[in-house]
């Protein structure tokens, strides 16, 4: 581990040196005053040092800490970070001539760490991290710390205006996360979270609730966060259809649009053609039920087909919905949606006297309009997650999984295949419709162009990328696909290229998704006998705990 210690020390020291002659990225030209990239390098160095020291100090005690693979992952990631930093300095400062000693020291430290990982003597973990237990107070404190760190990471990431700093920060977080995962840390955290599910749920929602209070009234950052939540809640509904029931729906955005149009038409907007303005709770229910009704209409004749044929039919439905909204303009059909102009000037929500369009001050901190809608969507997200979790763990959820695995075998075992398919379509559509009613008020306008096929593709990608059938995975996938384009606008011309490259890499190296269920891990790695044995041991451990 000598090379690991040397590499970590060099990364740590590099953060105290100058990285550029030019005052870029928060002025990284100053020595002994680390900012942005310099701090990231120091974090990587600290992580490498901890892993290197843990090989001899921690691994023999707890038995599950795999320092060798972790050091190799940190070496590869640190090298990529240092090389990308060098490119960023060259681009922003006008050439490599303007790169100072700090970035080169970081590169050398990363390469030394990589060499240490390659030459590290394999040390096989004697215990599976999933089976290790600590006192409950320690595990609860660890979960609380992880939630607090996640909140700090999200707040810092959204606050970065410089795209290079944002990208390199994500690289740093990714490298540290990968290193800890290779060491087995997240296996232990997953086990602790399984034993304290309620603590994890409360901690996650507490961190999400506190997020607006970390943005100092920033409307831009909260607008991005609210858009991410709307996208995530819609993806949770699609996860019922695709992740649980295994039905490939390429027109799901139409259900979100249906709810949005219901919310817009019943909102009291000047361009609305219906003079009835019920309370928003009633409007949300109507929007959800209308979307579910559309799901039943589409599902009844089409769910008797499957696979590629179902995908084509749902794709056609999405386009039919968009074109229908175009034609309901009073010329080609009833005057209901105002045609291509859509419903505009939608007023802000007012629920129980609370005006979501006004700025409110809580504990001396201003909550902007976007923050108000963020908190509303957070409440809806909690409800959606509860519905998804309950259905997933119910007899209905097991029926959906059986249909996804083998439809004919499920039918032979007495599962009502058609009925459960229809329920999945209608249930997912209902959740999307409710989210659409909030989206209409937040966007203040609804037009047919907002609900194109590309949006359905991104929703499906969020489910697949995050991990089909999981809650945390879908939310993480939605965050990645919605946040990245917003923060990397200078890559706008290459957005689809980067998106496609990301999917190719994911399908190659982690086809089960970022956060995958154990069942799907085995499906995609059925030849991995070691993984099968580990998962079997974990299942036995869980069964023993429940007894």
């Amino acid at each position: 581990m000598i090379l690991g210690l040397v590499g970590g020390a060099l990364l740590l020291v590099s953060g105290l040196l100058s990285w550029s002659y030019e005052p870029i990225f928060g002025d990284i030209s100053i020595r002994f005053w680390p900012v942005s990239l310099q701090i990231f390098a120091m974090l990587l160095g600290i992580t490498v040092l901890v892993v290197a020291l843990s090989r001899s100090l921690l691994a023999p005690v707890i038995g599950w800490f795999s320092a060798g693979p972790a050091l190799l992952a940190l070496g590869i990631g640190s090298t990529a970070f240092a090389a990308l930093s060098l490119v960023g300095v060259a681009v922003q400062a006008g050439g490599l001539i303007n790169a100072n000693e700090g970035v080169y020291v970081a590169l050398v430290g990363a390469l030394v760490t990589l060499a240490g990982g390659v030459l590290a003597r394999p040390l096989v973990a004697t215990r599976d991290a999933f089976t290790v237990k600590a006192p409950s107070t320690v595990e609860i404190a660890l979960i609380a710390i992880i939630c607090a760190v996640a909140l700090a990471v999200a707040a810092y990431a959204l606050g970065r205006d410089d795209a290079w700093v944002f990208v390199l920060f994500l690289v740093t977080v990714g490298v540290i996360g990968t290193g800890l995962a290779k060491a087995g840390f997240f296996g232990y955290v997953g086990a602790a979270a399984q034993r304290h599910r309620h603590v994890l749920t409360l901690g996650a929602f507490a961190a999400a609730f506190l997020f607006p209070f970390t943005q100092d009234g920033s409307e831009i950052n909260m607008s991005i966060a609210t858009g991410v939540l709307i996208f995530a809640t819609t993806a949770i509904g699609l996860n019922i259809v695709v992740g649980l029931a295994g039905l490939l729906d390429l027109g799901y955005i139409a259900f979100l649009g249906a709810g949005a149009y219901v919310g817009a038409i019943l909102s009291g907007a000047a361009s609305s053609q219906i003079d009835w303005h019920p309370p928003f709770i009633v409007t949300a229910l109507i929007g959800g039920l209308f979307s579910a009704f559309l799901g039943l209409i589409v599902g009844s004749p089409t769910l008797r087909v499957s696979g590629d044929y179902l995908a084509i039919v749902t794709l056609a439905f999405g386009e039919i919905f968009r074109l229908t909204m175009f034609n309901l303009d009073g010329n080609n059909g009833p005057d209901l949606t105002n045609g291509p102009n859509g419903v505009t000037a939608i007023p802000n929500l007012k629920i129980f006297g609370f005006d979501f369009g006004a700025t409110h001050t809580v504990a001396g901190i201003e909550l902007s309009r976007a923050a108000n809608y963020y908190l509303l969507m957070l409440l809806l997200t909690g409800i959606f997650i509860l519905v998804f979790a309950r259905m997933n763990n119910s007899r209905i959820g097991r029926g959906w999984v059986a249909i996804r695995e083998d439809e004919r075998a499920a039918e032979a075992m007495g599962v009502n295949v058609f009925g459960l398919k229809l329920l999945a379509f209608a249930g997912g559509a209902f959740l999307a419709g409710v989210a659409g009613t909030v989206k209409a008020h937040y966007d203040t306008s609804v037009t047919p162009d907002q609900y194109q096929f590309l949006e359905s593709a991104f929703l499906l990608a969020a489910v697949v990328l995050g991990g089909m059938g999981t809650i945390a995975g879908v939310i993480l996938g939605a965050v990645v696909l919605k946040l990245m384009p917003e923060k990397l606008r200078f890559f706008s011309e290459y957005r689809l290229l980067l998106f496609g490259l990301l999917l190719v890499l994911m399908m190659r190296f982690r086809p089960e998704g970022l956060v995958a269920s154990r069942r799907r891990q085995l499906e995609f790695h059925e030849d991995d006998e070691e993984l099968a044995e580990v998962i079997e041991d974990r299942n036995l451990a869980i069964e023993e705990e429940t007894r």
Side-chain angles (χ1 to χ4, degrees):
M1 288 291 108
I2 299 299
L3 290 177
L5 293 172
V6 173
L10 288 174
L11 284 168
L12 185 61
V13 170
S14 71
L16 301 175
L17 303 176
S18 173
W19 282 44
S20 173
Y21 283 110
E22 300 293 331
I24 57 174
F25 303 145
D27 199 353
I28 57 175
S29 64
I30 302 176
R31 294 176 176 85
F32 302 105
W33 190 264
V35 296
S36 63
L37 277 58
Q38 297 163 311
I39 294 177
F40 304 160
M42 295 179 75
L43 290 175
L44 289 172
I46 292 171
T47 307
V48 170
L49 288 174
V50 169
V51 169
L53 290 172
S54 298
R55 180 179 174 88
S56 56
L57 299 179
L58 188 61
V61 178
I62 61 178
W64 54 262
F65 197 90
S66 303
L71 194 62
L72 178 60
L74 288 170
I76 296 173
S78 298
T79 302
F81 166 81
L84 192 58
S85 298
L86 190 60
V87 172
V89 170
V91 171
Q92 294 297 99
L96 288 175
I97 190 65
N98 291 313
N100 268 354
E101 74 280 358
V103 66
Y104 291 109
V105 172
L107 182 59
V108 172
L111 291 173
V112 172
T113 302
L114 178 58
V118 172
L119 299 176
R121 180 171 55 86
L123 183 63
V124 180
T126 58
R127 303 171 67 187
D128 181 12
F130 201 88
T131 62
V132 177
K133 288 184 180 179
S136 295
T137 53
V138 174
E139 294 185 341
I140 291 173
L142 178 62
I143 292 173
I145 292 172
I146 290 175
C147 291
V149 170
L151 173 61
V153 167
Y156 183 85
L158 266 184
R160 299 312 97 199
D161 296 326
D162 191 298
W164 279 102
V165 175
F166 176 76
V167 169
L168 288 167
F169 176 70
L170 292 187
V171 170
T172 303
V173 173
V175 171
I176 293 175
T178 304
L180 293 177
K182 290 294 184 180
F185 175 74
F186 288 120
Y188 171 72
V189 171
Q194 190 116 2
R195 289 189 287 268
H196 306 283
R197 295 187 188 91
H198 299 300
V199 174
L200 176 63
T201 302
L202 290 175
F205 273 95
F209 175 79
L210 292 173
F211 177 76
F213 298 92
T214 66
Q215 296 303 303
D216 195 24
S218 173
E219 182 73 8
I220 296 177
N221 291 344
M222 288 312 306
S223 178
I224 295 174
T226 305
V228 168
L229 267 186
I230 293 174
F231 189 76
T233 50
T234 309
I236 291 173
L238 180 61
N239 200 20
I240 294 177
V241 181
V242 178
L244 295 185
L247 305 173
L248 184 56
D249 188 350
L250 296 180
Y252 187 77
I253 195 66
F255 300 126
L256 179 69
Y261 267 102
V262 169
I265 292 172
L266 300 181
S267 65
S271 55
S272 172
Q273 304 299 321
I274 296 180
D275 190 20
W276 182 49
H277 321 305
F280 174 71
I281 296 177
V282 176
T283 301
L285 290 175
I286 294 175
L289 291 174
F290 179 65
S291 295
F293 178 68
L294 288 181
L296 292 175
I297 291 177
V298 176
S300 297
T302 61
L303 288 182
R304 299 189 184 277
V305 299
S306 60
D308 300 338
Y309 300 101
L310 178 61
I312 293 172
V313 171
T314 54
L315 172 61
F317 165 69
E319 288 301 297
I320 289 171
F321 170 81
R322 185 175 64 86
L323 294 175
T324 300
M325 297 301 102
F326 264 115
N327 292 326
L328 296 180
D329 59 354
N331 296 321
N332 302 306
D335 188 8
L336 188 62
T337 65
N338 207 22
N341 295 323
V343 181
T344 58
I346 300 173
N348 286 297
L349 284 174
K350 289 184 179 180
I351 302 177
F352 302 121
F354 184 86
D355 187 358
F356 281 79
T359 299
H360 302 274
T361 302
V362 178
I365 299 175
E366 288 189 354
L367 296 180
S368 62
R369 173 183 179 274
N372 297 331
Y373 281 99
Y374 170 88
L375 294 174
L376 175 62
M377 284 307 306
L378 184 62
L379 175 62
L380 280 181
T381 302
I383 296 173
F384 284 17
I385 290 175
L386 179 63
V387 170
F388 182 90
R390 293 297 183 184
M391 296 185 77
N392 187 21
N393 296 325
S394 68
R395 185 175 180 179
I396 294 174
R398 292 192 292 272
W400 282 334
V401 172
I403 293 171
R404 186 190 71 196
E405 300 299 328
D406 193 324
E407 183 175 326
R408 293 191 177 184
E411 190 172 11
M413 294 300 293
V415 175
N416 184 357
V417 172
F418 181 74
L420 286 180
K421 279 184 174 182
L422 209 56
L423 179 61
F425 236 72
F430 179 85
L431 297 183
V434 174
T437 57
V438 179
K439 178 176 170 59
H441 287 273
Y442 177 68
D443 292 342
T444 69
S445 67
V446 177
T447 59
D449 289 334
Q450 294 174 325
Y451 306 100
Q452 300 180 6
F453 163 71
L454 187 61
E455 297 300 322
S456 291
F458 270 90
L459 283 170
L460 181 61
V463 175
V464 175
L465 179 67
M468 290 192 292
T470 64
I471 297 173
V474 170
I475 294 177
L476 180 59
V479 170
V480 170
L481 292 182
K482 198 68 177 178
L483 178 62
M484 296 294 284
E486 292 291 340
K487 300 300 289 186
L488 301 178
R489 290 190 175 273
F490 73 101
F491 276 139
S492 59
E493 296 181 2
Y494 307 98
R495 178 184 177 186
L496 292 180
L497 175 63
L498 294 175
F499 172 63
L501 180 61
L502 176 63
L503 288 184
V504 169
L505 293 175
M506 281 296 302
M507 294 306 101
R508 171 59 183 85
F509 296 104
R510 195 171 177 83
E512 65 271 24
L514 294 172
V515 182
S517 63
R518 292 189 296 274
R519 182 189 296 115
R520 294 199 68 81
Q521 276 186 304
L522 283 177
E523 288 176 7
F524 286 101
H525 302 279
E526 57 183 8
D527 296 331
D528 192 339
E529 297 181 1
E530 183 180 351
L531 176 62
E533 292 176 0
V534 169
I535 292 178
E536 182 65 26
D537 293 340
R538 292 179 180 179
N539 290 336
L540 291 175
I542 294 173
E543 289 178 4
E544 290 178 0
E545 289 179 8
T546 55
R547 290 174 187 171

